[in-house]
Amino acid sequence: MKERLQELEQEALLKVEQAETIEELKSVRVEYLGKKGPITEVLRGMGKLPKEERPVIGQLANEVRERIADAIEEKQSRLEDEALEEQLKNEDIDVTLPGRPIQVGGPHLLTSIIEEIEDLFIGMGFEIKEGPEVETDYYNFEALNLPKGHPARDMQDTFYITEELLMRTHTSPVQARTMNAKNGKEPVKMICPGKVYRRDNDDATHSHQFTQIEGLLVDENVRMSDLKGVLQEFAAKMFGKERMIRLRPSFFPFTEPSVEMDISCKVCGGEGCSVCKGTGWIEILGAGMVHPNVLEMAGYDSEKYSGFAFGMGPERIAMLKHGIDDIRHFYTNDVRFLKQYHNA
Amino acid sequence: MLISLNWLKELVDISGYTTEELSEIITKTGIEVDGISEPEELPQGVVVGNIISCEQHPDADKLSLCQVDTGEETLQIACGAPNVKAGQKVAVAKPGAVLPGNFKIKKTKLRGEESNGMICSLQELGVNEEDVPEAFKDGIFVFPEDTETGEDAVKLLNLDDSVLELDVTPNRADVLSMVGMAYETAAALARNYTLERPSYEEAKDKADSDVAVKIVDKEANPYYGAFVVQDVEVKESPLWLKNRLMAAGTRPVNNVVDITNYVLLEYGQPLHAFDRDRFNSNVIVTRYAEEGEILETLDGKLRTLSPHHLVITNGEKAHALAGVMGGKESEVHEGTTDLLLEAAYFDPQVVRRSANDHELRSESSVRFEKGLDVNRVAQAGERACELLQKYAGATILKGTAEEDHLNRKETVIRMETSRLNDRLGTKMEVQDVKNVLRRLQFEYEEKKGVFDVQVPSRRFDISIFEDMLEETARIYGYDHIPYTLPEGSGQAGGLTEEQRLKRNVKTFLEGAGLSETITYSLTDKESAEEMISPELKDEQHGAVRLAMPMSEDHSHLRLSILPELLRTHSYNTARQQQNLAYYELGKVFISREDEHVQQPKEVLRAAGAVSGEWVTNPWQQEKKEADFFVVKGIVEELAGRLGLSFTYVKGDVQGMHPGRTALVVCNGKTIGFMGQVHPRYQKKHDLKETYVFDLNMDLLLNLYEKEETFVKIPKYPSVSRDIALVVGEKTSAGEIEETIVTTGAPLIKQVRVFDVYQGEHLAPGEKSIAFRLLYQNPERTLKDKEVEEAHGAILEAVAAKHNARLRQ
């Protein structure tokens, strides 16, 4: 019986080796390892053996079975691999053909810039406030220390609707509204982005509609050095740490002292070039300490409270960042322009 | 404002600084230098020459042969200028001289005659064409007769000057003068400057015995002084004076006019000289004009005046529009001998109004409008008298005829060093503050760090503590203020729920394939009132109009975003951009009443427009044009994103296709519409078939409810059944769907249309709609029997309600 088993093993292994397809291999399995196969038969005949030989033969039979099974397994995986190789050869595609187009949109460049600035100030604890685009004369001018007849509020620059109603010329009225809403008591820490309007003819550098972002912080003991710190933080994040900032005196009716902030020119690194008109600096925003009249008009005690405000133009920032030469691009909405900045 | 450095140099010491350094310092202390014009290439070797003789060139019609004395030698020079004459003092480039453009002058022969140098025009010396006086435009420049032969022509012509262009903020009117800039520069550089009092010889007779001044409105005209100037000789101004005027951008006229202009530049105080004879009166009366009164101004224009225009009169008729422009009649002319010289203070707003009304912005009106030093008005007049005496040989009567109501109250501001530091975040010492005040030349009293600062009248912009705060900080240096972060009560920044939602909606629409646009809120009247969403239609009162629009194209506030959005479609379509998918989130403006007196209600809307191919560039798949259902898909998904569900009802919107427009309804409220733009509108605006949506974001954001609790993912399998129903062609899928959902509740989880058919296999007037129904029980596995029952009920209901039968 032992010989028979060894014979069967030889036979089976040979057939495994000769099998060329998975089907053939399957039949080898059925033939030798199946319930009606020769090994099962050998085991069935074990009853005729002496008692002490039974375990030996039994063990041998199991070993033979296992070896055949292993050989089949091994051969099978080899055949499968070969079959897969064959299949892969037939599945070859031209990877240079274009992908199936999907419709993708994206944000307007100004929105990207505004949201970037919003997120940056949110990170510094600022809220975002909004206000009406059609404003009253009071909030647009008077509450900001621009009484009637002030030279800075020439009819030329403002779209009036009635004597008391106008298209807001800046986002500053939102400051006044926010402060008023707090009744002169709580601190204010906000920025307000939005559309503003000026009575201008549209050309490469003027647009009768544009956007602005204004910021305001009012609290006890706010210092001018805080304004400097916050603006530096902003400039580093928005324009890069390597850019320097400088403040120089300026004038706005609603701040005193007033400053303008320049950043060092990216193109020449401060050496002076045509972009910065030879000065090495580029004007980015206006700012200042909130004028006591503005605080008082909003109900704040200007002895106790102080604050700073700043304002900037997203169009200007976008134009500087991307070298855009004409402000009208933002409002023409040429699809080729819009798509350039979908990942800006 | 242009500042000549050669002039500034004579007032204050600016040595040791390059022009760039000086500009940087001035800019950083407060006056922005917007531009610097420096001589790029100075001519070299150009001197004043005296033309001894000038004869026709024997062999050339257009050339003259001149013998020119240059002080050291006499040169023969050929000259082609038509205005060359013997006896002239001219600019001579000697052999070896270099003119701008690296033009080297050599000895040469012209048509056989020697020419040893060149007699120069101003253009050849590098002067800009527009700065050349009219008389010398087409020829050589001629110096005044008394010019010394051999002198350096470049210096005399002030060609070596650098000019700073200042951008002066409205509060710093005090620097709109050389004197003001001298004080400012001295403070910035910590150097000295004091304005000296002018001096001249006065005649015995008193001005006020000769002339009387009467002010009718002392609010409008707080001060009027008149100097009586006699026996002037009107002629050309000396060269230095002309040079200074030109450097400041003012064209020289004659000595009298030039002197008043010079003093305007020097002191910042506008003056006016009347021809005494033509003024023809011994009284000067300033008053408001009468309605319809007419004045011919110096520019030759007839001005019709109103009662808010202040005029200077001779007691009868107007001779000047106060502070703005003099009258033609009493203009100084060649034969003028006697003058009335005006030095006055007019109310800024009065001057502004006159200048605005007559569109006459002059150097003079600008300065009146921005304010003047009350203590320098008469002094400026004295300065002009000093110059008139020196350069026009004038006799000047004693004192002035004047009326004076000027308020010369001094401003004193208290400034505590500690408060200064608290506000600036600095650590200034008392001595630092003293240094700043000394540089500014502000007088003060100080006790224990508390300053009482006496503000000089020239700094009329300073009136409160904060002004002094700025003044101190800018001289101390903004660079010396440290960087700190606010210490106050912290607050968590962030977006409000509404702002977050708005961003979500944008991100969704962009993900859905739409590009964001920003269009104009102001449009033409017709566009402003087109395509108004039905839910706004009843409450609006017409588009709000601007009082003074720049153009009719941007004259009205929009009531819908769509017309401007469609304009961008037209724009792009005209530029071969065919496949367009746009959206905009923006406001429309709903007036509350017909008069538009109240602030309009501003409603936030999300609008979109799609045209052209929606699925493009196929090599594997069919291309697909945008249609109603592409846009509807976007709107439906948006509803899902907001946790809402919309229903769609056929509706009518002006400007939209009557058969392809749906009102979008949410919780029983119309919140907008969608559909195809009316073919007539499309044709008019060169649009392809365009589909739009327009939703009221304010209503949507209100309706939005945040999903708070987790809904379990169903564990049990669902069962799907397809049915094709044959119905009348007017029956809408929406109606049937509603019946299915209500009848099949609660087991029906989803109903989806997957096919609509109309054609040869059906009777005319019929259509078939195929639905896929999804049944599910969240509690347990569905039994066939349950599904059969529900399904049967549904079939009965649709048959009864919609006359629908199963398609076989």
Side-chain angles (χ1 to χ4, degrees):
Chain A
M1 278 188 119
K2 197 174 168 187
E3 288 75 30
R4 173 77 183 136
L5 281 171
Q6 281 160 349
E7 224 169 84
L8 282 171
E9 184 179 354
Q10 295 298 324
E11 227 177 273
L13 292 179
L14 188 69
K15 280 194 176 166
V16 167
E17 185 145 355
Q18 285 165 348
E20 276 178 5
T21 64
I22 292 183
E23 279 66 40
E24 278 175 45
L25 200 63
K26 217 179 221 166
S27 57
V28 175
R29 178 190 291 272
V30 174
E31 190 181 338
Y32 290 91
L33 304 180
K35 279 182 183 162
K36 288 171 185 165
I39 298 176
T40 318
E41 217 169 285
V42 169
L43 287 172
R44 263 197 217 120
M46 260 197 335
K48 293 171 192 163
L49 288 178
K51 224 177 181 179
E52 62 278 8
E53 275 184 44
R54 282 183 207 163
V56 182
I57 295 298
Q59 198 187 344
L60 181 68
N62 278 333
E63 282 170 11
V64 167
R65 261 186 107 103
E66 234 161 77
R67 279 199 290 273
I68 295 171
D70 285 353
I72 291 173
E73 194 85 348
E74 195 190 330
K75 178 80 181 196
Q76 172 144 359
S77 82
R78 198 162 65 229
L79 286 175
E80 274 170 3
D81 281 353
E82 281 166 17
L84 186 60
E85 288 299 324
E86 198 58 31
Q87 185 192 343
L88 292 181
K89 268 182 210 156
N90 296 327
E91 283 175 357
D92 206 26
I93 56 164
D94 178 358
V95 296
T96 66
L97 279 169
R100 229 176 257 209
I102 52 165
Q103 273 284 356
V104 264
H108 192 282
L109 175 57
L110 287 177
T111 304
S112 303
I113 299 264
I114 289 169
E115 287 186 358
E116 186 181 351
I117 295 170
E118 283 179 354
D119 293 345
L120 220 145
F121 280 101
I122 286 172
M124 290 193 260
F126 284 72
E127 294 178 287
I128 298 179
K129 293 282 180 187
E130 288 150 293
E133 291 171 29
V134 175
E135 258 301 354
T136 59
D137 184 88
Y138 177 79
Y139 278 113
N140 196 71
F141 289 128
E142 274 178 57
L144 297 166
N145 203 29
L146 277 149
K148 288 211 160 84
H150 194 286
R153 52 181 286 187
D154 266 346
M155 279 291 281
Q156 261 76 346
D157 308 330
T158 308
F159 281 128
Y160 277 91
I161 293 165
T162 66
E163 250 177 62
E164 293 303 321
L165 226 52
L166 46 86
M167 300 305 295
R168 66 176 177 191
T169 55
H170 44 196
T171 45
S172 318
V174 185
Q175 291 187 7
R177 285 181 178 274
T178 308
M179 283 194 282
N180 264 20
K182 305 245 178 184
N183 278 325
K185 288 188 181 61
E186 298 157 58
V188 180
K189 199 174 178 186
M190 60 92 154
I191 66 164
C192 49
K195 291 175 187 154
V196 300
Y197 305 83
R198 296 271 170 95
R199 202 164 175 278
D200 267 326
N201 271 318
D202 296 339
D203 62 24
T205 52
H206 296 86
S207 179
H208 75 273
Q209 174 183 319
F210 56 101
T211 57
Q212 232 183 30
I213 298 180
E214 195 107 344
L216 174 72
L217 189 151
V218 174
D219 204 343
E220 292 176 33
N221 306 319
V222 178
R223 303 157 295 184
M224 195 159 161
S225 54
D226 298 334
L227 170 64
K228 243 182 122 171
V230 166
L231 290 183
Q232 190 197 33
E233 196 78 9
F234 162 72
K237 287 189 173 140
M238 193 74 196
F239 301 102
K241 277 200 164 53
E242 68 288 353
R243 310 287 286 276
M244 289 177 296
I245 72 164
R246 93 173 167 181
L247 299 186
R248 55 188 166 75
S250 188
F251 171 73
F252 306 107
F254 28 90
T255 50
E256 187 76 38
S258 300
V259 301
E260 245 156 322
M261 183 178 91
D262 300 334
I263 57 167
S264 56
C265 179
K266 188 182 171 185
V267 178
C268 62
E271 295 282 305
C273 67
S274 63
V275 173
C276 55
K277 288 197 226 151
T279 59
W281 296 96
I282 288 176
E283 192 181 313
I284 285 295
L285 56 79
M289 303 302 289
V290 182
H291 197 289
N293 291 357
V294 174
L295 288 170
E296 295 286 342
M297 255 182 287
Y300 284 88
D301 176 358
S302 67
E303 292 288 320
K304 192 172 157 196
Y305 282 92
S306 55
F308 63 73
F310 53 86
M312 61 189 109
E315 279 88 348
R316 182 172 169 75
I317 292 173
M319 288 169 92
L320 284 173
K321 267 194 138 173
H322 300 283
I324 297 166
D325 57 355
D326 193 325
I327 195 170
R328 286 170 295 196
H329 282 309
F330 296 111
Y331 297 96
T332 312
N333 296 303
D334 190 309
V335 69
R336 293 159 295 182
F337 174 84
L338 296 179
K339 294 224 162 165
Q340 271 188 56
Y341 299 105
H342 277 177
N343 50 4
Chain B
M1 169 92 184
L2 301 173
I3 295 289
S4 146
L5 288 192
N6 277 353
W7 189 352
L8 186 65
K9 215 180 279 180
E10 284 186 18
L11 303 176
V12 58
D13 177 15
I14 54 172
S15 60
Y17 296 97
T18 65
T19 308
E20 284 72 24
E21 286 165 351
L22 184 68
S23 302
E24 170 84 11
I25 294 170
I26 291 175
T27 299
K28 282 174 85 171
T29 44
I31 312 296
E32 190 186 354
V33 177
D34 212 20
I36 302 170
S37 70
E38 280 189 283
E40 277 169 33
E41 300 169 287
L42 278 182
Q44 282 162 16
V46 182
V47 298
V48 177
N50 183 13
I51 303 180
I52 303 166
S53 70
C54 176
E55 280 159 18
Q56 175 73 46
H57 187 289
D59 211 17
D61 283 355
K62 290 192 174 160
L63 287 182
S64 309
L65 276 185
C66 307
Q67 300 301 322
V68 187
D69 173 15
T70 63
E72 288 168 351
E73 54 190 327
T74 302
L75 299 169
Q76 170 168 298
I77 300 174
C79 179
N83 64 333
V84 64
K85 272 186 222 140
Q88 284 174 334
K89 296 278 176 67
V90 292
V92 178
K94 298 197 287 184
V98 185
L99 299 185
N102 202 23
F103 177 33
K104 289 182 187 127
I105 303 298
K106 290 179 210 143
K107 290 187 177 183
T108 176
K109 272 191 176 171
L110 284 172
R111 295 267 177 134
E113 297 292 334
E114 255 185 40
S115 181
N116 300 324
M118 184 165 118
I119 302 177
C120 304
S121 69
L122 287 176
Q123 292 92 324
E124 282 158 346
L125 294 173
V127 178
N128 286 328
E129 184 75 35
E130 65 262 28
D131 294 338
V132 175
E134 209 56 54
F136 306 122
K137 272 232 148 80
D138 301 315
I140 52 167
F141 175 75
V142 183
F143 287 100
E145 278 170 37
D146 55 358
T147 312
E148 291 279 327
T149 302
E151 266 199 73
D152 183 347
V154 169
K155 278 227 155 59
L156 281 177
L157 287 167
N158 201 37
L159 295 179
D160 59 341
D161 200 1
S162 297
V163 177
L164 301 186
E165 192 184 335
L166 306 181
D167 186 5
V168 180
T169 53
N171 60 325
R172 292 300 308 275
D174 64 294
V175 297
L176 294 176
S177 64
M178 291 307 297
V179 167
M181 262 320 281
Y183 277 112
E184 178 68 17
T185 311
L189 302 181
R191 289 184 177 170
N192 297 318
Y193 171 71
T194 330
L195 172 62
E196 278 167 34
R197 188 132 197 142
S199 77
Y200 56 92
E201 206 176 296
E202 291 182 318
K204 264 186 247 142
D205 294 339
K206 287 165 78 184
D208 56 3
S209 346
D210 188 32
V211 180
V213 166
K214 185 171 161 36
I215 290 171
V216 174
D217 189 316
K218 48 190 188 192
E219 298 283 320
N221 181 195
Y223 175 82
Y224 196 97
F227 292 82
V228 179
V229 180
Q230 297 172 339
D231 304 326
V232 295
E233 188 195 342
V234 177
K235 56 179 181 183
E236 242 182 272
S237 297
L239 194 57
W240 67 265
L241 201 156
K242 287 202 280 190
N243 286 337
R244 287 188 174 175
L245 291 183
M246 284 192 285
T250 303
R251 200 176 265 264
V253 182
N254 59 46
N255 55 352
V256 174
V257 175
D258 290 353
I259 285 168
T260 56
N261 284 336
Y262 181 80
V263 176
L264 168 94
L265 294 173
E266 189 181 34
Y267 277 62
Q269 169 69 45
L271 301 172
H272 184 68
F274 297 95
D275 178 288
R276 176 76 189 268
D277 291 339
R278 296 191 179 173
F279 190 76
N280 194 22
S281 168
N282 291 334
V283 288
I284 300 171
V285 180
T286 77
R287 59 161 168 86
Y288 279 117
E290 279 155 30
E291 184 67 54
E293 195 172 349
I294 300 220
L295 168 70
E296 185 184 3
T297 43
L298 282 173
D299 53 8
K301 290 196 176 133
L302 290 177
R303 311 279 173 179
T304 308
L305 307 174
S306 308
H308 55 260
H309 298 141
L310 191 72
V311 289
I312 316 301
T313 73
N314 63 358
E316 284 172 23
K317 59 185 291 197
H319 274 267
L321 186 56
V324 181
M325 197 177 259
K328 187 85 182 161
E329 192 182 346
S330 47
E331 183 181 10
V332 173
H333 54 97
E334 273 180 33
T336 298
T337 54
D338 293 358
L339 307 172
L340 287 173
L341 180 73
E342 161 194 303
Y345 189 102
F346 301 115
D347 179 74
Q349 301 220 32
V350 171
V351 175
R352 187 150 85 97
R353 196 141 180 212
S354 296
N356 275 349
D357 288 356
H358 298 286
E359 288 174 4
L360 262 178
R361 274 271 146 79
S362 60
E363 291 281 326
S364 149
S365 71
V366 164
R367 284 173 174 80
F368 278 116
E369 284 174 39
K370 292 183 171 170
L372 299 169
D373 178 354
V374 290
N375 287 324
R376 219 151 67 196
V377 184
Q379 196 178 332
E382 291 169 15
R383 171 66 172 153
C385 289
E386 180 183 54
L387 293 168
L388 284 166
Q389 194 160 72
K390 209 165 166 186
Y391 298 103
T395 303
I396 292 137
L397 298 197
K398 200 181 177 79
T400 51
E402 62 174 38
E403 208 179 305
D404 186 358
H405 311 282
L406 263 181
N407 177 7
R408 294 187 178 79
K409 203 179 76 193
E410 280 179 349
T411 308
V412 177
I413 293 172
R414 171 150 299 190
M415 186 164 78
E416 292 108 341
T417 309
S418 57
R419 190 164 171 223
L420 197 71
N421 283 324
D422 284 348
R423 284 294 158 92
L424 295 175
T426 47
K427 294 192 173 84
M428 288 173 84
E429 304 283 342
V430 174
Q431 190 54 44
D432 294 326
V433 181
K434 285 184 179 171
N435 289 343
V436 167
L437 294 174
R438 195 168 303 133
R439 284 167 67 178
L440 287 165
Q441 300 194 48
F442 287 7
E443 311 226 329
Y444 61 85
E445 279 171 29
E446 181 266 334
K447 267 187 210 139
K448 293 182 179 164
V450 178
F451 289 82
D452 281 323
V453 181
Q454 197 179 318
V455 181
S457 61
R458 65 187 154 83
R459 292 304 308 276
F460 44 85
D461 59 308
I462 297 173
S463 56
I464 56 172
F465 166 74
E466 281 73 13
D467 296 328
M468 272 316 296
L469 189 67
E470 174 172 74
E471 209 54 22
T472 313
R474 74 183 183 94
I475 297 298
Y476 180 66
Y478 281 3
D479 285 352
H480 294 126
I481 297 173
Y483 295 99
T484 59
L485 286 176
E487 287 168 353
S489 51
Q491 139 185 322
L495 295 173
T496 60
E497 175 108 324
E498 204 182 291
Q499 289 161 348
R500 204 177 47 75
L501 266 175
K502 260 194 286 183
R503 282 200 188 183
N504 281 348
V505 168
K506 284 178 166 177
T507 313
F508 165 77
L509 291 172
E510 285 152 20
L514 307 183
S515 296
E516 189 192 12
T517 58
I518 302 177
T519 63
Y520 293 131
S521 312
L522 289 165
T523 182
D524 59 282
K525 181 171 167 58
E526 196 187 339
S527 304
E529 295 178 346
E530 264 162 350
M531 298 186 173
I532 305 171
S533 191
E535 89 281 7
L536 301 176
K537 191 90 188 155
D538 294 339
E539 55 171 315
Q540 60 96 16
H541 292 255
V544 177
R545 186 179 201 279
L546 299 179
M548 289 200 313
M550 287 295 273
S551 75
E552 286 306 314
D553 287 348
H554 305 296
S555 56
H556 286 75
L557 278 165
R558 64 183 178 189
L559 282 154
S560 164
I561 292 177
L562 286 173
E564 281 290 328
L565 197 60
L566 291 172
R567 205 182 297 273
T568 70
H569 268 247
S570 306
Y571 176 92
N572 282 288
T573 306
R575 282 158 186 78
Q576 293 90 44
Q577 303 301 312
Q578 308 291 356
N579 309 316
L580 302 166
Y582 276 172
Y583 85 91
E584 177 170 350
L585 219 66
K587 285 176 170 179
V588 300
F589 303 82
I590 314 299
S591 52
R592 295 169 211 258
E593 23 70 49
D594 292 336
E595 305 301 316
H596 311 320
V597 174
Q598 293 175 49
Q599 262 173 297
K601 187 167 114 184
E602 300 185 8
V603 179
L604 185 69
R605 302 196 73 86
V610 178
S611 65
E613 288 171 17
W614 180 252
V615 177
T616 54
N617 191 27
W619 61 275
Q620 266 187 322
Q621 58 195 341
E622 291 278 297
K623 73 171 185 183
K624 189 166 173 8
E625 295 284 327
D627 64 14
F628 183 93
F629 299 101
V630 162
V631 172
K632 188 170 176 187
I634 295 171
V635 175
E636 280 173 338
E637 283 297 330
L638 176 62
R641 187 58 73 99
L642 295 171
L644 300 170
S645 93
F646 296 163
T647 50
Y648 302 83
V649 192
K650 236 182 187 176
D652 235 344
V653 176
Q654 180 263 332
M656 297 292 292
H657 191 305
R660 295 183 175 179
T661 298
L663 307 186
V664 182
V665 180
C666 185
N667 290 5
K669 248 190 204 164
T670 302
I671 50 109
F673 68 97
M674 57 152 299
Q676 188 191 336
V677 174
H678 199 291
R680 209 178 293 128
Y681 190 100
Q682 288 174 175
K683 188 163 178 241
K684 187 175 163 199
H685 294 90
D686 292 322
L687 292 165
K688 302 211 284 184
E689 210 168 285
T690 305
Y691 293 87
V692 300
F693 66 87
D694 182 359
L695 305 174
N696 188 323
M697 286 298 295
D698 285 343
L699 289 180
L700 282 182
L701 298 178
N702 263 329
L703 289 167
Y704 164 82
E705 272 179 47
K706 209 164 157 186
E707 202 59 67
E708 297 286 2
T709 41
F710 172 68
V711 179
K712 275 189 193 147
I713 314 286
K715 269 196 277 192
Y716 304 99
S718 57
V719 174
S720 81
R721 290 286 160 92
D722 293 350
I723 47 172
L725 298 173
V726 178
V727 291
E729 65 182 351
K730 293 285 170 200
T731 310
S732 74
E735 303 167 42
I736 304 173
E737 188 181 319
E738 206 190 317
T739 308
I740 295 174
V741 170
T742 40
T743 317
L747 294 185
I748 282 281
K749 278 292 155 251
Q750 199 183 65
V751 181
R752 269 198 114 67
V753 176
F754 69 90
D755 188 41
V756 178
Y757 177 80
Q758 206 166 3
E760 54 176 318
H761 301 293
L762 292 173
E766 280 187 340
K767 67 178 172 186
S768 143
I769 307 174
F771 294 89
R772 175 157 297 165
L773 279 50
L774 203 71
Y775 295 94
Q776 194 170 42
N777 187 331
E779 307 297 331
R780 55 189 165 77
T781 305
L782 273 178
K783 288 181 190 138
D784 276 354
K785 213 180 130 214
E786 284 177 294
V787 177
E788 289 310 325
E789 272 172 22
H791 205 64
I794 287 169
L795 290 179
E796 270 172 41
V798 293
K801 267 194 165 167
H802 309 294
N803 205 15
R805 61 183 157 83
L806 269 180
R807 189 174 166 202
Q808 299 303 321

